[in-house]
Amino acid sequence: SNMTAAVCCALSLKFSAEQLQDNISKFHGINRRMQQHFFSTDNHQHSIAIFDDYAHHPVEIRVTLNAFLQSQVARQFSKTYLIFEPHRAQRLMQHYTGFCSAFKGVDYLYLLAPFQPCSTQIEEIDLNRLASDIFKHSLCPCRVLPTNEKARQVMSENKKHGAFIFMGAGSVSHLAQEIAGDWRRSEGL
């Protein structure tokens, strides 16, 4: 594993056992790789959580989702909701077929508009057609959320038991953190 390799390197550089233990105890994982921003369990042992992941290529999305869905962590949740922000319209079009089948196993997909850096021209994408094609190939219901404000509204209205996974390479991470903050405040945390 990566940790084993890191320990071997540190030992070869003459780090002490105490230094290794101290630094390993401070390591909480890699940001934006199924990073948990919110977790709560109610009196009936129903869990809800917000995770954030950088996956933005169809193969990466499929592998990350499969790993999550097969994990012990996923068993805590009754449903898996995915909020996906495609990274660049051009990449979305290049890998359109792959994106359409990347979301198998998800109970519900919320599709955001593609992230576009300010310096690039936004290519028109028919997100409703994409949502329909995703449903056809991934067999999960899909709803288009045209703005982050709409996404925040829908998430606050539909806060249900389950894992909410925010994926993409653009600004979706900020949205995940904002909604996690909203949910913490609503629970008085």
Side-chain angles (χ1 to χ4, degrees):
S1 78
N2 290 341
M3 184 65 74
T4 304
V7 168
C8 289
C9 286
L11 289 172
S12 73
L13 295 170
K14 307 294 186 217
F15 280 78
S16 70
E18 293 79 26
Q19 287 174 308
L20 284 170
Q21 186 175 10
D22 181 51
N23 285 301
I24 290 171
S25 70
K26 293 175 185 173
F27 181 71
H28 299 288
I30 298 172
N31 287 339
R32 303 241 30 237
R33 288 300 181 190
M34 293 307 286
Q35 182 177 6
Q36 185 176 299
H37 290 296
F38 178 86
F39 181 85
S40 180
T41 302
D42 67 14
N43 294 339
H44 303 289
Q45 299 302 309
H46 296 115
S47 297
I48 184 168
I50 291 179
F51 297 95
D52 180 18
D53 195 273
Y54 183 75
H56 59 281
H57 184 277
V59 173
E60 185 181 24
I61 291 167
R62 204 167 31 252
V63 167
T64 302
L65 282 175
N66 287 340
F68 175 78
L69 294 169
Q70 294 173 18
S71 73
Q72 189 70 29
V73 172
R75 294 187 184 117
Q76 300 175 70
F77 306 105
S78 57
K79 302 263 185 202
T80 301
Y81 304 91
L82 188 104
I83 301 84
F84 177 62
E85 179 189 49
H87 185 238
R88 299 179 186 255
Q90 180 182 7
R91 178 174 292 139
L92 178 61
M93 296 315 294
Q94 286 174 331
H95 302 286
Y96 190 88
T97 304
F99 281 111
C100 290
S101 61
F103 303 100
K104 291 179 182 164
V106 171
D107 294 298
Y108 203 92
L109 175 68
Y110 294 98
L111 184 62
L112 304 174
F115 173 76
Q116 290 291 132
C118 297
S119 63
T120 62
Q121 182 178 352
I122 295 177
E123 188 177 326
E124 282 297 314
I125 300 292
D126 184 347
L127 292 176
N128 290 314
R129 183 180 134 230
L130 176 60
S132 176
D133 288 345
I134 288 171
F135 178 73
K136 193 183 319 177
H137 297 282
S138 289
L139 305 175
C140 70
C142 183
R143 178 177 175 187
V144 174
L145 300 176
T147 64
N148 282 0
E149 292 77 26
K150 184 67 175 172
R152 281 182 81 169
Q153 175 190 348
V154 168
M155 293 299 112
S156 69
E157 293 169 358
N158 295 302
K159 183 179 170 188
K160 303 172 182 161
H161 304 294
F164 288 77
I165 302 170
F166 289 72
M167 269 190 190
S171 61
V172 72
S173 181
H174 299 293
L175 179 62
Q177 292 173 44
E178 289 171 2
I179 292 171
D182 293 346
W183 289 6
R184 277 192 294 278
R185 283 186 292 282
S186 76
E187 294 200 1
L189 302 175

